[in-house]
Amino acid sequence: MCGIVGYVGPRECTDVLMSALSKLEYRGYDSAGIAVFDNGEIKVAKSKGRLKDLEEKMENTYKPSGHAGIGHTRWATHGEPSDINSHPHSGKRVTIVHNGIIENYKKLKDFLVSQGREFQSETDTEVVAQLLDYYYDGNPLDTIIKVMSEVRGSFALGIVFSDFRDVVYAVRRESPLIVGVGENESFIASDVPAILKYTKDYYLLEHDEIARLDMDGVKFYDKHKKEIIKEIKTADWDMDAAEKGGYEHFMLKEIYEQPTAIKTTISPRITDGLPNLEECGITPEKLREFNQIYVVACGTAMHAGLVGKYVIEKLARVPVTVDIASEFRYREPLVSDRDLVIVISQSGETADSLAAMRLAKELGAQTLAIVNAKGSSIAREADMLIYTHAGPEIAVASTKAYMVQIAVMYLLAFELALAVDAIDETECRRLTGLLQKTPDYIEEILKNKEDTQYIASSLITADSLLYIGRGLDYALSMEGSLKLKEISYIHSESYAAGELKHGTISLISDGMPVIAVATQKALFEKTVSNIKEVKARGAKVIMVCRDDYTPEKDVADYKFGLPDIDDIIMPMAAVVPLQLIAYYTSVLKGNDVDKPRNLAKSVTVE
Ligand code: F6R
């Protein structure tokens, strides 16, 4: 998704903006640009493509130089990726960068055209730039407030006015924006990693708040122009967390960080060998209030919800419905005030998940957010909150955030099962102990990357493949398949193994790879029968199963062996080879692993 940065201070602004933008590259983008006060005049440089294309363009034409400015990486929504549609966009005296979507841009554009204004680009952003310019009467704050009252939708804006030299304004509604402060300098950014190189101290801009950055510091105003005092926050991430630290890609680093992320997430929530979520507002009494549970999320986070569903239903016997957030919000869900709605999100800003949570609240349900990004919108608006402590996840493809989302779902399932007397304390202690051991098992699996490299090398020529499994293995198959397709660009589907013969098996042709996840003892023989069905029709089968099983020739061509862990906790271990297979397939295909095409890290549009 788009990234915004801004700087005011003694350093060379263009360098700061470019460096800060590079730290937001993970969000996904297709063009980039900056606007800098250069000898008192706003100079804009922008280009379709990557930051290096912008850098090259500036080297070949003109590189603005100064001490205050704004920058942007764009992920196209209105209008194709092109030099013209790239941000910044300008009116005569105003230049802006924008993240979000202006819902009433068409109406505003028609109005501005009727007033004789001409437009260069197809973007909704230019409409805001022109509207600011239209109302601008020499008072930036009044103008911004006027425009905020007319614009509908989500936005974070960085704004510079040509007659206010070295001053940067910022405003947000829905889309996230932070204001960083260092010694004699200040920053704006869509996310903390952008400024970590310079400072760890920042303010979180709230809805409809405005910041004014100049050489003397930062001031904040509400939408009534009243100055407000805000609480400063300090990022608990350091630079290392936002750097590759010797790994070739962030994704690989994040896969290897999983054991630590699990420990950091679960340890503070376990007391005397039992789950304890009291600090998050969740007590056994509270858990007994709910008739049923909904889990609402998108993509990988939704897949974490699916694992949670199996585990909660199996252990606590409480019904769980997992919904894709974009479906939930429009299907008139039958949610009541006796229900718990769990929203899972790494970024805490996913537009559909946030809207779904707001709907659930309107319907009277209690909401619990499982979120990684501190202070994000979903985290702030939920009734109850469990932070996952994965640290910053930079690669677009989620790995460690998924892992800790699952870990939290396990803790919740154990505590709920105990609260409703579906298991006793001894069993709850046993299960919690199993969860605490998972980091060691994962460390073990991570030592065997060679097998996943070998498997990946056998996939790179495939046009299409299938992931199959039953029960928890089916939930994992969905995640394995999503991971592979998003970074390797190879088409893949996940299927419930028993469902194949009702249609999909006709896709199997000679040599088609099928990744069969078969880790659940109770379902093992049934899954093996399904695997034999595809093998008999020519599939090349790669089996992910316990190491003590040796498949016959009529079952699988290759096996990835897993340690002998209890069925219930197995998904946390079994997902690791699936992540590594996707990773190495993408590497072998020469793809941009951390920034796959067409994708954005944080999806703040519907
Ligand atoms: C896939 C992936 C996405 C996200 C989804 C939700 O690897 O990362 O499917 O899981 O966009 O994002 P969050 O968790 O930020 O709400």
Side-chain angles (χ1 to χ4, degrees):
M1 201 76 346
C2 307
I4 287 183
V5 297
Y7 178 70
V8 180
R11 298 176 207 258
E12 172 51 61
C13 178
T14 300
D15 293 346
V16 176
L17 296 178
M18 292 299 282
S19 152
L21 285 175
S22 73
K23 297 289 180 292
L24 295 180
E25 280 192 294
Y26 71 90
R27 295 163 72 90
Y29 70 107
D30 44 49
S31 40
I34 59 169
V36 173
F37 282 97
D38 184 328
N39 276 318
E41 227 181 279
I42 296 174
K43 290 274 165 60
V44 171
K46 53 187 190 176
S47 165
K48 180 184 162 189
R50 296 290 183 194
L51 282 173
K52 65 173 174 26
D53 299 307
L54 174 62
E55 191 70 63
E56 232 170 73
K57 187 170 176 181
M58 290 194 290
E59 296 302 337
N60 294 334
T61 53
Y62 182 76
K63 190 168 185 174
S65 166
H67 296 287
I70 50 180
H72 191 258
T73 44
R74 172 173 189 250
W75 191 75
T77 54
H78 294 74
E80 53 160 18
S82 68
D83 285 6
I84 292 217
N85 287 334
S86 309
H87 301 208
H89 288 284
S90 306
K92 285 181 209 111
R93 295 156 300 171
V94 187
T95 297
I96 70 167
V97 290
H98 166 221
N99 180 8
I101 296 231
I102 306 300
E103 282 163 9
N104 57 339
Y105 87 102
K106 184 81 185 63
K107 200 168 151 229
L108 294 170
K109 190 169 181 174
D110 290 346
F111 165 72
L112 288 163
V113 169
S114 76
Q115 299 299 305
R117 298 269 164 166
E118 281 173 18
F119 286 82
Q120 314 282 322
S121 75
E122 302 155 80
T123 63
D124 52 347
T125 303
E126 194 186 353
V127 176
V128 181
Q130 295 269 13
L131 197 64
L132 281 161
D133 198 68
Y134 178 78
Y135 286 122
Y136 184 51
D137 58 358
N139 185 325
L141 210 49
D142 285 344
T143 310
I144 292 171
I145 290 169
K146 170 78 181 149
V147 167
M148 278 162 72
S149 70
E150 299 217 345
V151 164
R152 278 206 325 270
S154 60
F155 53 83
L157 298 169
I159 312 169
V160 285
F161 293 83
S162 53
D163 45 1
F164 279 79
R165 184 177 174 162
D166 291 345
V167 180
V168 169
Y169 285 88
V171 58
R172 78 163 277 209
R173 182 180 295 161
E174 306 287 351
S175 305
L177 202 66
I178 58 157
V179 177
V181 282
E183 217 169 294
N184 303 321
E185 58 185 354
S186 45
F187 307 80
I188 60 169
S190 302
D191 204 353
V192 176
I195 58 162
L196 278 181
K197 186 171 162 190
Y198 307 102
T199 181
K200 283 184 174 185
D201 296 331
Y202 69 96
Y203 298 93
L204 210 60
L205 214 56
E206 303 283 347
H207 297 295
D208 285 348
E209 284 180 355
I210 305 160
R212 182 187 196 275
L213 288 64
D214 64 21
M215 291 293 175
D216 296 325
V218 186
K219 285 192 170 141
F220 297 99
Y221 302 90
D222 68 11
K223 63 177 176 191
H224 307 293
K225 216 179 156 180
K226 195 167 139 268
E227 191 172 341
I228 42 180
I229 305 299
K230 291 181 68 69
E231 187 196 331
I232 197 155
K233 299 186 182 299
T234 302
D236 53 9
W237 304 343
D238 54 21
M239 267 299 286
D240 292 350
E243 298 288 342
K244 282 188 207 151
Y247 286 90
E248 202 180 335
H249 298 101
F250 279 111
M251 182 173 174
L252 191 61
K253 175 177 178 242
E254 288 160 8
I255 290 173
Y256 276 80
E257 282 172 346
Q258 294 184 112
T260 309
I262 298 171
K263 284 184 213 156
T264 326
T265 299
I266 64 170
S267 303
R269 280 79 185 247
I270 296 173
T271 313
D272 185 24
L274 291 171
N276 180 350
L277 299 168
E278 220 172 305
E279 158 242 8
C280 313
I282 300 158
T283 58
E285 297 73 45
K286 171 123 264 158
L287 287 170
R288 281 193 284 270
E289 283 173 17
F290 306 118
N291 284 342
Q292 56 171 335
I293 297 175
Y294 287 84
V295 182
V296 184
C298 304
T300 286
M302 189 272 291
H303 293 160
L306 284 173
V307 172
K309 172 188 165 76
Y310 278 98
V311 180
I312 292 174
E313 290 190 340
K314 185 174 173 61
L315 295 175
R317 311 304 294 156
V318 173
V320 182
T321 306
V322 179
D323 261 282
I324 295 170
S326 54
E327 291 293 315
F328 178 86
R329 53 188 293 202
Y330 295 116
R331 75 166 172 84
E332 299 180 35
L334 294 169
V335 175
S336 82
D337 56 5
R338 301 285 298 166
D339 299 336
L340 172 67
V341 174
I342 302 176
V343 180
I344 307 180
S345 175
Q346 187 286 127
S347 63
E349 298 292 349
T350 302
D352 283 317
S353 304
L354 180 59
M357 188 176 82
R358 287 178 179 159
L359 173 67
K361 285 180 99 168
E362 258 168 56
L363 295 171
Q366 297 202 46
T367 53
L368 162 64
I370 299 175
V371 168
N372 196 45
K374 311 272 165 2
S376 54
S377 303
I378 294 175
R380 282 180 296 143
E381 290 186 30
D383 300 314
M384 291 163 275
L385 169 67
I386 308 179
Y387 273 126
T388 51
H389 298 307
E393 191 178 62
I394 307 287
V396 165
S398 181
T399 52
K400 63 174 178 173
Y402 169 83
M403 183 64 85
V404 288
Q405 286 159 356
I406 304 187
V408 167
M409 289 307 280
Y410 276 103
L411 278 181
L412 196 65
F414 301 163
E415 173 142 12
L416 176 63
L418 183 62
V420 299
D421 281 333
I423 58 171
D424 61 18
E425 208 178 286
T426 314
E427 176 62 358
C428 192
R429 217 178 276 285
R430 184 187 77 85
L431 291 165
T432 311
L434 287 177
L435 182 63
Q436 285 174 298
K437 282 202 205 107
T438 52
D440 299 338
Y441 293 123
I442 294 171
E443 297 277 12
E444 221 29 62
I445 293 167
L446 286 170
K447 286 187 190 143
N448 181 13
K449 63 177 191 308
E450 288 73 18
D451 277 0
T452 57
Q453 285 167 335
Y454 178 81
I455 294 167
S457 68
S458 74
L459 299 180
I460 50 171
T461 50
D463 294 326
S464 183
L465 67 145
L466 287 180
Y467 282 74
I468 60 170
R470 284 172 175 259
L472 276 167
D473 290 335
Y474 176 39
L476 278 190
S477 300
M478 288 191 209
E479 178 55 11
S481 169
L482 175 65
K483 215 84 305 171
L484 184 89
K485 67 185 137 199
E486 69 175 320
I487 57 170
S488 77
Y489 315 147
I490 298 174
H491 172 255
S492 87
E493 297 284 337
S494 54
Y495 248 82
E499 178 69 7
L500 275 179
K501 53 183 158 301
H502 300 287
T504 309
I505 202 163
S506 68
L507 286 176
I508 304 287
S509 57
D510 224 18
M512 179 181 185
V514 173
I515 299 191
V517 188
T519 71
Q520 297 296 299
K521 280 184 180 149
L523 298 166
F524 189 72
E525 278 172 19
K526 300 224 172 293
T527 310
V528 169
S529 304
N530 299 135
I531 299 173
K532 283 184 176 169
E533 288 161 7
V534 293
K535 183 81 188 114
R537 284 157 183 85
K540 182 169 70 185
V541 175
I542 296 139
M543 221 174 147
V544 176
C545 59
R546 282 183 172 73
D547 205 24
D548 58 12
Y549 173 73
T550 309
E552 299 287 332
K553 276 202 168 53
D554 63 341
V555 179
D557 300 271
Y558 202 79
K559 167 187 100 173
F560 185 95
L562 294 163
D564 188 15
I565 313 172
D566 198 288
D567 269 18
I568 194 97
I569 214 78
M570 184 58 111
M572 295 188 68
V575 76
V576 177
L578 303 184
Q579 295 168 338
L580 286 170
I581 290 168
Y583 170 76
Y584 285 115
T585 309
S586 178
V587 171
L588 289 172
K589 289 197 73 185
N591 295 351
D592 193 347
V593 180
D594 287 334
K595 299 186 285 284
R597 67 185 183 205
N598 305 339
L599 288 174
K601 181 69 184 162
S602 170
V603 185
T604 51
V605 293
E606 228 189 280

